[in-house]
Amino acid sequence: MMSVAHLSHNDGVGMMDMLMMLAAAAAAVTAPQGDRVKPVDQCFAIYRPGSPSGTQAAGAPSGQTVIGATRQVIRAIRVGSRPAWDIVIHQRVPMANFAMRDHFVLNRDDLTPITFDNSRSGVEHVALRYTPGRIVGTKTDKAVVTPIDVAVADPIWEGNLWGVTFGALPLAMGKSFSLPFYQYDGGIGRFTLTVTGSQSVATPTGPVDAWTVAVLKDGKPSTTTLIAKRDARELGSFAARGGTKLGGDCTGLD
């Protein structure tokens, strides 16, 4: 699952989707700029469309049902002599009995990964180490450990970290970007991104001007991410099946 709770849509390919695909196909790989990332600790509500009687969360806009929360914590650290970002994305959806924690350690200059680990309900599921041209680690399912050893072309980025990575790109109206990634379930893939517009996003501290970034995953429309213009923070995401927004209750998420 992608961080922060990215929900894909399957509404078919319209004219805007076609234009996004054409623009993205022409985009060269642009490395994220790690200095655009800032230490932060923020909470997102995970929501889905629709609010059956009695289920709409207090404070949620009409037509949205809050089903969980995601805490995002970014810290500056060092790994030996290397400056790095330590990022934790911890998600919880009680109604689905789902809890997942992603932990990324990334090179601070361009967000290329050093290590990644994933746990579900407190149990380690995946542990990866990124080295030049290779990703090694393990994936554990029902006590069965499967080794991972994948040759990759450098540079490559972490396929489970979306908004933070996209916010570190030099976003501007109409610009498109392409990023190769590795994701432990899907393997090697490619994000193609297009800045389609801007909007004011409501947050717990007031409205924030944001870029709207349409995301294709392996050429298929996936979600739209909201990135703050002033400080490049992730502000949320949306798709036909739901999305995320700043707010929510992250009690108990570390």
Side-chain angles (χ1 to χ4, degrees):
M1 185 173 183
M2 292 72 68
S3 311
V4 173
H6 297 285
L7 304 174
S8 301
H9 67 72
N10 296 288
D11 294 337
V13 178
M15 180 61 69
M16 179 58 73
D17 293 330
M18 289 296 294
L19 292 173
M20 287 160 43
M21 290 178 184
L22 290 172
V29 172
T30 300
Q33 301 168 359
D35 59 359
R36 295 175 63 87
V37 178
K38 301 294 185 291
V40 73
D41 184 346
Q42 52 187 9
C43 184
F44 296 83
I46 304 170
Y47 68 87
R48 67 181 182 189
S51 51
S53 179
T55 66
Q56 185 172 328
S62 176
Q64 293 180 0
T65 301
V66 174
I67 61 171
T70 300
R71 186 179 178 190
Q72 179 191 83
V73 181
I74 303 176
R75 299 184 302 122
I77 64 168
R78 298 189 77 84
V79 177
S81 61
R82 284 189 288 180
W85 290 114
D86 182 287
I87 301 174
V88 172
I89 310 289
H90 198 171
Q91 306 180 59
R92 176 181 60 214
V93 181
M95 65 183 296
N97 194 29
F98 174 81
M100 183 171 75
R101 185 179 189 271
D102 286 337
H103 177 215
F104 311 82
V105 177
L106 313 176
N107 286 298
R108 203 183 302 175
D109 58 349
D110 63 2
L111 305 191
T112 50
I114 300 171
T115 62
F116 167 78
D117 60 86
N118 167 279
S119 62
R120 301 190 177 185
S121 300
V123 179
E124 182 180 284
H125 179 53
V126 175
L128 299 177
R129 180 167 55 89
Y130 284 74
T131 60
R134 189 163 294 275
I135 303 166
V136 296
T138 58
K139 180 179 177 182
T140 305
D141 270 316
K142 298 179 180 178
V144 177
V145 179
T146 302
I148 295 171
D149 190 340
V150 181
V152 296
D154 291 326
I156 199 161
W157 285 270
E158 235 303 324
N160 274 27
L161 187 66
W162 291 39
V164 175
T165 304
F166 304 158
L169 292 165
L171 305 178
M173 183 61 204
K175 291 193 70 173
S176 294
F177 304 90
S178 175
L179 286 176
F181 68 82
Y182 175 80
Q183 200 276 333
Y184 58 79
D185 280 328
I188 297 169
R190 183 169 295 270
F191 292 125
T192 44
L193 319 169
T194 302
V195 181
T196 57
S198 61
Q199 66 182 69
S200 179
V201 176
T203 77
T205 58
V208 176
D209 288 335
W211 295 115
T212 57
V213 182
V215 181
L216 306 183
K217 182 182 178 188
D218 293 329
K220 297 179 181 178
S222 183
T223 193
T224 296
T225 299
L226 300 168
I227 303 296
K229 291 184 177 181
R230 183 177 62 84
D231 59 12
R233 280 185 302 143
E234 181 177 11
L235 300 176
S237 63
F238 60 88
R241 293 176 54 200
T244 62
K245 58 187 177 182
L246 283 172
D249 180 5
C250 285
T251 304
L253 297 176
D254 60 5

